[in-house]
């Protein structure tokens, strides 16, 4: 009997090839898109998860602004961890991590450049449960100048030789020799602090290469602090207790905590270990994934219920022959199962083919395998549930036809059936219009971010830096970099050069921060953090920055200056309305008097995703980064690669034992929008797929409608109806449904995209034409899809449809 059911199901699917193709292809695209997006969503939502990660919190600092505490800095003080552990019994352990980037290793005259890691307490492996492959877990990271390498870095440096007990030279400010006493497994890519190596925290007491923090103090917050809490701890209560905890040395700051697992998607503070993700982006893509797969199921339900009217006589005959209602339902479900099975197989093939390209495109290492099977179970369950539900409705429709009416051919589409069909089509186009609106607005916002003037000219500006190795002292290196800067000026294609620790698009790591500043009127402000930017006197001219009052500072013969430049936001924050009034006035911080030399027009140092901060720019020669302004016309003959080769040649002549790195500032600045660009492109791609699925469903439904009304069209044409009248007759209902979907989509689109735009300090206008363009596009897609079938029906010879009457 079951064999007969299977034969009937296969025969029906092969007989109705268009119906089968539309459903299978639509379901396959829907399921494949859903799985790909969910792989990305799962990757983002499982950041920093490991055994016990739910009991790990990151400590951060809150600062006061206008007397109110606000989230401030992702980094904490040297004493934060020990002090909190001593004060709160709920804290079992703490670990401090100090970020180290762009490190050069040397072993057997081989250089390994650009590695990043951290200094860490011995408790690191107690809190972060990353496997230690070699070494004694009880002794790693205890002794000064010991280091733990990842498996990959150990292989890069030592090859297949066991590195335990081996020595390696590290160049980071100075040259030091470290002993390897541990090798850990490579960290997953979805961790917010990616370390290729760990250096023992005790090294800081004598390692001049890593900042000036030899002894624990409350003077500088440049460490990440994580705490492991008892699993029975009330986290909300502990958080409140920590916020209420007073540190005498920090009257205008307080400690706070956040879950380790929440950092990537929910934290966006200065001095983050990396550029974090966005919960709103993930939620939007999650919504798109669900919309796409539901659209494919709606197509199936819509087409199946419409096609069920063709099978009423078959159902009546089977009932007369003795078929029971459960058997009718089983037959329909079997057909649904076969169709979905083929769709799932096709979707699996699509996923395996597209996944490497998709991973490379979004810059995430997504994978499907046995180890990740557990993560897929909710996804698989959702797909199977949707498949079952979408197959049940058509099955019950078929089984509920009465035998007598079915055999007489009196079955007609019921009022409730028509309402359901209309509702499904409206739902499809509602989703389509919302996605189209989102696509247009996301593209508009990204275009706004890229093309909005930032108040500085980054075009043809290079940032040159490198690690200088050898026995030269820091003072000699700094002097030679100053000489090198002037040598660069001798190149015919170089307009100007300047030493600068920071530049637009640079990281917070290149800034200094402090609390406590005294204004010219004697008012002391201890209520917020201040960032100051180290640049040379030529910086403002090289960047084409506009002074609204005064001018740049001037270097003294000693190589420094006590004069500073402010931006307009800083002056306004002091309560001074006229920029000229602050020139030559004294501002005090770091127990030193600084004289205001000039005020520059506000510019977007960190891009348009964040607001403009009050800026204080000062001069200090102790930097190793050179900015070079290139003359585009002069470099055209040799090309940019030739110009960079000449710059590198001068650098290598001055520093033969060194690395050489360069960055184009405009590319660096735009890189901060890469995640948004990827999101925008993904939004566009999956919107197109959603539209394709909706159009295929509409195409199939139109084909069926045309067949059902074939004789009616023939009669109308015999009675004089024109092609235009027939097209209007068949298209008007679809146009009406799209219009109704458009009215519902306007508030839905406005609300959802307004929430997304809240993540940007500067945003594009939500113009009326965005809705109109989305609506017109959806209507055009519907008309093209419907008219393809209705036009063929309108021009057909009515004799062909009426000959059997």
């Amino acid at each position: 009997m079951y064999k007969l059911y299977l034969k009937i199901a296969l025969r029906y699917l092969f007989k109705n090839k268009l119906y089968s193709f539309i459903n299978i292809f639509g379901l396959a695209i829907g399921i494949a898109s859903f799985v790909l997006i969910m792989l990305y969503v799962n990757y983002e939502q499982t950041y920093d998860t490991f055994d016990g990660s739910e009991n790990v919190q990151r400590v951060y600092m809150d600062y006061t602004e206008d007397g109110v505490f606000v989230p401030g800095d992702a980094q904490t003080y040297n004493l934060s961890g020990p002090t909190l552990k001593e004060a709160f019994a709920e804290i079992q352990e703490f670990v401090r991590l100090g970020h180290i980037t762009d490190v050069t290793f040397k072993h057997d005259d081989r250089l390994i450049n650009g590695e990043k890691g951290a200094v860490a307490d011995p408790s690191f492996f107690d809190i972060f449960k990353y496997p230690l492959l070699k070494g004694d877990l009880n002794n790693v990271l205890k002794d000064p100048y010991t280091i733990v390498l990842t498996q990959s870095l150990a292989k890069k440096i030592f090859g297949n030789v066991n590195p335990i007990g081996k020595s390696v030279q590290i160049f980071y400010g100075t040259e030091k020799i470290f002993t390897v006493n541990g090798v850990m497994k490579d960290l997953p890519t979805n961790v917010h602090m990616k370390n290729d190596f760990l250096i023992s925290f005790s090294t800081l007491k004598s390692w001049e290469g890593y900042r000036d923090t030899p002894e624990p103090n409350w003077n500088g917050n440049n460490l990440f602090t994580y705490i492991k809490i008892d699993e029975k701890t009330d986290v909300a209560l502990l958080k409140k207790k920590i916020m209420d905890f007073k540190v005498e040395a920090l009257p205008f700051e307080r400690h706070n905590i956040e879950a380790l697992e929440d950092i990537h998607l929910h934290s966006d503070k200065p001095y983050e270990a990396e550029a974090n993700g966005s919960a709103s982006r993930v939620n939007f893509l999650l919504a798109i994934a669900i919309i796409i797969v539901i659209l494919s199921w709606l197509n199936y339900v819509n087409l199946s219920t419409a096609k069920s009217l063709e099978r009423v006589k078959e159902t009546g005959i089977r009932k007369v022959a003795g078929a029971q209602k459960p058997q009718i339902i089983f037959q329909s479900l079997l057909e649904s199962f076969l169709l979905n099975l083929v769709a799932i197989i096709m979707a699996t093939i699509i996923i395996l083919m597209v996944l490497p390209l998709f991973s490379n495109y979004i810059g995430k290492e997504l994978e499907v395998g046995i180890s990740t099977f557990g993560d897929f179970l909710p996804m698989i369950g959702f797909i199977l549930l949707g498949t079952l539900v979408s197959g049940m409705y058509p099955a019950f429709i078929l089984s509920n036809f009465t035998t007598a009416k079915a055999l007489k051919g009196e079955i007609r589409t019921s009022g409730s059936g028509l309402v359901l069909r209309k509702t499904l089509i409206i739902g499809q186009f509602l989703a389509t219009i919302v996605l189209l609106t989102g696509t247009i607005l996301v593209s508009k916002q990204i275009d706004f971010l890229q093309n909005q003037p930032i108040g500085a000219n980054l075009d043809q500006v290079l940032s040159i830096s490198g690690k200088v190795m050898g026995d030269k002292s820091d003072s000699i290196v700094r002097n030679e970099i100053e000489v090198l800067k002037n040598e660069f000026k001798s190149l015919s294609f170089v307009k100007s050069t300047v030493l600068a620790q920071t530049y637009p698009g640079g990281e917070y790591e290149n800034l200094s921060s402090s609390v406590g500043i005294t204004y010219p009127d004697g008012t002391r402000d201890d209520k917020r953090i201040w960032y100051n930017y180290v640049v040379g006197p030529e910086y403002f001219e090289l960047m084409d920055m506009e002074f609204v009052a005064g001018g740049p500072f001037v270097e003294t013969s000693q190589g420094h200056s006590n004069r500073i430049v402010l931006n307009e936001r800083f002056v306004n924050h002091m309560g001074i309305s006229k920029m000229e009034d602050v020139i030559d006035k004294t501002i005090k911080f770091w127990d030193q008097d600084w004289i205001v030399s000039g005020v520059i027009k506000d510019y977007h140092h960190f891009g348009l995703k964040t607001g403009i901060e009050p800026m204080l720019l000062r001069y200090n020669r102790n930097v190793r980064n050179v900015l070079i302004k290139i003359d585009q016309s002069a470099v055209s003959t040799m090309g940019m690669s030739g110009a960079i080769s000449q710059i590198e040649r001068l650098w290598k002549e001055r520093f033969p034992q060194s690395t050489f790195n360069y960055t184009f500032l405009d590319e660096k600045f735009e890189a901060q929008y890469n995640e948004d660009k990827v999101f925008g492109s993904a939004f566009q791609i999956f919107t197109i797929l959603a539209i394709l699925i909706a159009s295929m469903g509409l195409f199939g439904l139109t084909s069926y409608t045309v067949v059902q009304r074939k004789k009616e069209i023939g009669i109308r044409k015999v009675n004089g109806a024109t092609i235009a009248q027939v097209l209007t007759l068949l298209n008007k209902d679809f146009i009406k449904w799209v219009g109704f979907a458009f009215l519902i989509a306007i508030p839905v689109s406005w609300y959802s995209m307004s929430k997304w735009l809240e993540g940007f300090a500067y945003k594009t206008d939500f113009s009326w034409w965005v809705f109109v363009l989305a609506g017109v596009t959806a209507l055009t897609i519907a008309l093209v899809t419907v008219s393809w079938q209705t036009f063929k029906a309108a021009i057909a010879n009515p004799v062909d449809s009426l000959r059997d009457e």
Side-chain angles (χ1 to χ4, degrees):
M1 182 176 68
Y2 292 109
K3 185 177 179 180
L4 178 62
Y5 287 154
L6 182 60
K7 184 184 294 185
I8 294 172
L10 290 172
R11 183 182 299 162
Y12 179 77
L13 294 178
F14 280 109
K15 180 182 178 182
N16 297 272
K17 294 182 177 63
L18 178 62
Y19 161 79
S20 300
F21 172 78
I22 289 174
N23 271 321
I24 291 172
F25 190 71
L27 284 168
I29 294 296
I31 292 170
S33 300
F34 175 77
V35 172
L36 287 172
I37 296 175
M38 290 305 297
L39 285 173
Y40 168 75
V41 169
N42 182 69
Y43 179 91
E44 291 287 291
Q45 291 181 340
T46 55
Y47 248 75
D48 296 303
T49 56
F50 50 83
D51 183 24
S53 60
E54 68 277 7
N55 299 320
V56 180
Q57 302 278 320
R58 184 177 73 174
V59 183
Y60 66 93
M61 303 306 301
D62 284 339
Y63 301 126
T64 55
E65 285 188 8
D66 300 322
V68 179
F69 278 109
V70 296
D73 200 326
Q75 295 183 338
T76 57
Y77 295 88
N78 198 311
L79 284 173
S80 295
T83 302
L84 292 178
K85 183 177 185 296
E86 184 178 348
F88 300 101
E90 298 95 327
I91 299 177
Q92 296 180 337
E93 193 54 88
F94 71 89
V95 62
R96 293 163 294 185
L97 296 176
H99 219 187
I100 306 176
T101 59
D102 195 22
V103 174
T104 299
F105 288 81
K106 184 178 181 182
H107 180 70
D108 292 341
D109 296 325
R110 289 187 305 105
L111 297 179
I112 295 91
N113 300 319
E115 304 299 328
K116 57 188 175 182
V119 291
D121 287 300
S123 53
F124 177 88
F125 289 100
D126 182 39
I127 294 179
F128 296 95
K129 301 294 185 180
Y130 301 133
L132 188 69
L133 303 178
K134 295 178 181 178
D136 184 355
L137 195 59
N138 297 317
N139 291 315
V140 293
L141 299 177
K142 284 188 176 180
D143 298 328
Y145 297 100
T146 56
I147 187 171
V148 174
L149 305 175
T150 59
Q151 192 174 12
S152 295
L153 182 56
K155 187 172 183 62
K156 264 201 243 180
I157 298 174
F158 298 100
N160 295 322
V161 177
N162 185 351
I164 300 299
K166 305 290 185 186
S167 296
V168 62
Q169 290 173 276
I170 291 182
F171 295 89
Y172 187 70
T174 60
E175 176 188 352
K176 289 292 182 181
I177 295 177
F178 287 77
T179 301
V180 180
N181 66 354
V183 175
M184 62 180 176
K185 188 175 181 180
D186 290 344
L187 302 186
T189 55
N190 57 342
V191 295
H192 81 282
M193 195 164 183
K194 299 172 174 62
N195 297 313
D196 300 312
F197 62 89
L198 298 171
I199 288 173
S200 59
F201 198 86
S202 57
T203 305
L204 290 185
K205 293 182 179 180
S206 57
W207 188 26
E208 62 273 21
Y210 184 86
R211 299 186 180 127
D212 298 323
T213 55
E215 296 296 333
N217 58 65
W218 294 108
N219 292 330
N221 57 319
N222 48 28
L223 300 171
F224 297 96
T225 301
Y226 302 85
I227 56 174
K228 177 184 175 182
I229 61 176
D230 187 275
E231 60 183 12
K232 297 178 182 178
T233 299
D234 183 333
V235 179
L237 179 60
L238 177 62
K239 180 181 178 74
K240 185 178 185 307
K241 288 162 64 176
I242 288 177
M243 288 192 294
D244 292 338
F245 181 69
K246 302 296 182 184
V247 176
E248 187 176 345
L250 307 173
F252 300 103
E253 298 178 62
R254 72 180 182 189
H255 291 91
N256 205 335
I257 59 173
E258 60 189 337
L260 174 68
E261 296 175 359
D262 290 343
I263 292 173
H264 179 66
L265 292 181
H266 301 282
S267 180
D268 187 20
K269 302 176 179 66
Y271 296 100
E272 290 283 0
E274 67 172 9
N276 285 333
S278 166
S280 64
R281 280 200 299 262
V282 171
N283 292 335
F284 266 96
L285 289 175
L286 176 61
I288 292 174
I290 294 174
I291 287 172
I292 287 177
V293 76
I294 288 178
L295 281 177
S296 63
W297 288 330
L298 290 181
N299 276 350
Y300 176 76
V301 171
N302 221 349
L303 285 175
S304 296
T305 52
K307 292 289 286 183
S308 64
L309 296 178
E310 291 183 355
R311 307 186 67 183
V312 291
K313 288 187 178 180
E314 174 197 336
T315 303
I317 293 171
R318 293 179 64 197
K319 283 188 174 183
V320 169
Q324 301 298 313
K325 186 174 182 177
Q327 293 173 311
I328 302 293
I329 293 174
F330 178 79
Q331 175 68 49
S332 181
L333 286 176
L334 179 61
E335 292 170 6
S336 174
F337 170 77
L338 288 174
L339 193 145
N340 278 275
L341 178 63
V342 175
I344 290 173
I345 293 172
M346 184 181 293
T348 303
I349 295 171
I350 293 172
I351 291 166
L352 294 176
M353 292 174 60
V354 172
L355 185 59
L357 296 174
F358 184 63
S359 298
N360 183 64
Y361 181 72
I362 64 174
K364 312 288 184 183
E365 295 184 17
L366 308 181
E367 58 181 19
V368 178
I370 301 297
S371 60
T372 57
F373 181 76
D375 297 331
F376 300 149
L377 287 179
M379 199 185 308
I380 294 170
F382 180 71
I383 292 173
L384 293 178
L385 178 63
T387 299
L388 178 64
V389 171
S390 63
M392 289 294 289
Y393 183 78
F396 278 108
I397 290 290
L398 268 178
S399 65
N400 282 332
F401 289 146
T402 62
T403 305
K405 288 186 176 182
L407 291 174
K408 290 178 181 179
E410 296 179 357
I411 298 297
R412 295 289 183 269
T413 302
S414 66
S416 59
L418 286 173
V419 170
L420 175 65
R421 203 163 303 149
K422 292 176 183 178
T423 302
L424 293 179
I425 292 175
I426 290 171
Q428 285 181 317
F429 277 94
L430 168 63
T432 299
I433 294 170
V434 170
L435 291 176
L436 280 169
T437 304
T439 298
I440 296 168
L441 196 69
V442 168
S443 299
K444 192 167 180 279
Q445 174 65 13
I446 293 172
D447 186 64
F448 172 82
L449 293 176
Q450 290 182 291
N451 297 315
Q452 189 77 0
I454 68 167
N457 185 4
L458 310 184
D459 189 37
Q460 304 302 320
V461 179
L462 281 171
S463 170
I464 307 296
S465 64
K467 283 284 181 294
V468 178
M469 288 158 275
D471 54 2
K472 291 182 179 180
S473 66
D474 283 352
S475 59
I476 292 176
V477 170
R478 285 194 293 268
N479 288 334
E480 292 192 344
I481 286 180
E482 182 72 35
V483 173
L484 182 61
K485 181 197 77 170
N486 295 320
E487 289 178 348
F488 286 148
K489 286 182 182 179
S490 66
L491 297 173
S492 60
F493 53 83
V494 173
K495 282 186 176 180
S496 58
T497 63
V498 66
L499 294 177
Q501 186 176 0
T502 186
Y503 48 80
E507 294 84 6
Y508 274 98
E509 290 293 335
N510 295 329
L511 306 180
S512 298
S513 62
S514 62
V515 176
I517 191 167
T518 303
Y519 300 147
D521 63 359
T523 303
R524 181 173 173 83
D525 186 350
D526 289 300
K527 297 181 179 179
R528 65 160 297 155
I529 187 172
W530 297 97
Y531 299 102
N532 59 77
Y533 305 65
V534 176
V535 297
E538 308 93 341
Y539 176 80
F540 309 99
E541 180 181 359
L542 184 144
M543 291 290 184
D544 289 339
M545 292 180 179
E546 179 184 346
F547 276 88
V548 295
F553 34 68
V554 179
E555 179 182 1
T556 64
S557 58
Q558 289 79 23
H560 60 81
S561 175
N562 69 334
R563 301 187 73 87
I564 57 176
V565 170
L566 311 177
N567 69 343
E568 293 173 294
R569 190 65 54 92
F570 196 112
V571 178
N572 291 330
H573 190 84
M574 292 191 294
I576 300 173
S577 56
K578 293 182 66 176
M579 302 297 142
E580 296 82 3
D581 292 347
V582 78
I583 301 301
D584 293 329
K585 295 296 192 296
T586 300
I587 291 177
K588 187 173 184 177
F589 61 93
W590 292 348
D591 294 326
Q592 183 178 343
D593 290 336
W594 302 80
I595 301 172
V596 179
S597 172
V599 179
I600 57 170
K601 191 176 183 63
D602 287 338
Y603 75 94
H604 297 279
H605 191 86
F606 291 107
L608 283 81
K609 296 177 71 173
T610 58
I612 295 175
E613 291 282 341
M615 294 182 66
L616 187 156
L617 298 97
R618 61 187 178 88
Y619 176 61
N620 189 324
R621 285 184 63 208
N622 297 335
V623 296
R624 298 188 178 190
N625 195 73
V626 185
L627 300 184
I628 300 176
K629 182 76 170 182
I630 302 293
D631 185 340
Q632 180 62 37
S633 59
V635 82
S636 59
T637 54
M638 70 182 72
M640 187 57 74
S641 59
I644 293 173
S645 296
Q646 290 196 36
I647 292 172
E648 183 177 7
R649 176 180 57 79
L650 289 179
W651 177 278
K652 289 292 187 179
E653 286 177 359
R654 180 66 54 180
F655 304 116
Q657 288 186 302
S658 69
T659 60
F660 174 79
N661 305 306
Y662 70 91
T663 301
F664 285 96
L665 261 58
D666 54 353
E667 294 178 359
K668 176 79 171 177
F669 191 84
E670 288 189 13
Q672 63 190 314
Y673 304 133
N674 283 346
E675 287 282 345
D676 299 291
K677 292 177 187 176
V678 170
F679 170 69
S681 298
F683 208 121
Q684 291 173 0
I685 291 169
F686 289 112
T687 295
I688 291 171
L689 290 176
I691 292 171
L692 175 63
I693 292 170
S695 299
M696 289 176 62
L698 188 59
F699 181 84
L701 190 60
T702 304
S703 300
Y704 173 76
T705 302
V706 167
V707 172
Q708 290 291 100
R709 304 183 70 174
K710 185 177 180 181
K711 290 184 172 60
E712 176 192 346
I713 295 169
I715 294 171
R716 287 180 181 275
K717 291 191 69 177
V718 167
N719 284 282
T722 64
I723 292 176
Q725 288 174 323
V726 174
L727 286 175
T728 302
L729 172 72
L730 296 174
N731 289 358
K732 66 180 182 181
D733 284 341
F734 293 106
I735 295 173
K736 183 169 58 180
W737 297 339
V738 173
F740 192 67
F742 175 70
L743 293 177
I744 302 174
I746 290 175
V748 175
S749 301
W750 180 86
Y751 176 78
S752 57
M753 296 314 299
S754 294
K755 297 295 288 183
W756 178 71
L757 285 173
E758 287 178 0
F760 299 88
Y762 300 89
K763 58 201 74 170
T764 187
D765 297 328
F766 210 144
S767 307
W768 60 268
W769 62 263
V770 172
F771 298 108
V772 174
L773 180 59
V776 170
T777 303
L779 180 60
T780 302
I781 292 169
L783 285 176
V784 170
T785 303
V786 171
S787 298
W788 180 265
Q789 292 293 314
T790 57
F791 182 73
K792 288 196 300 183
I795 64 174
N797 189 338
V799 174
D800 294 334
S801 59
L802 298 175
R803 64 177 52 180
D804 59 341
E805 291 297 316

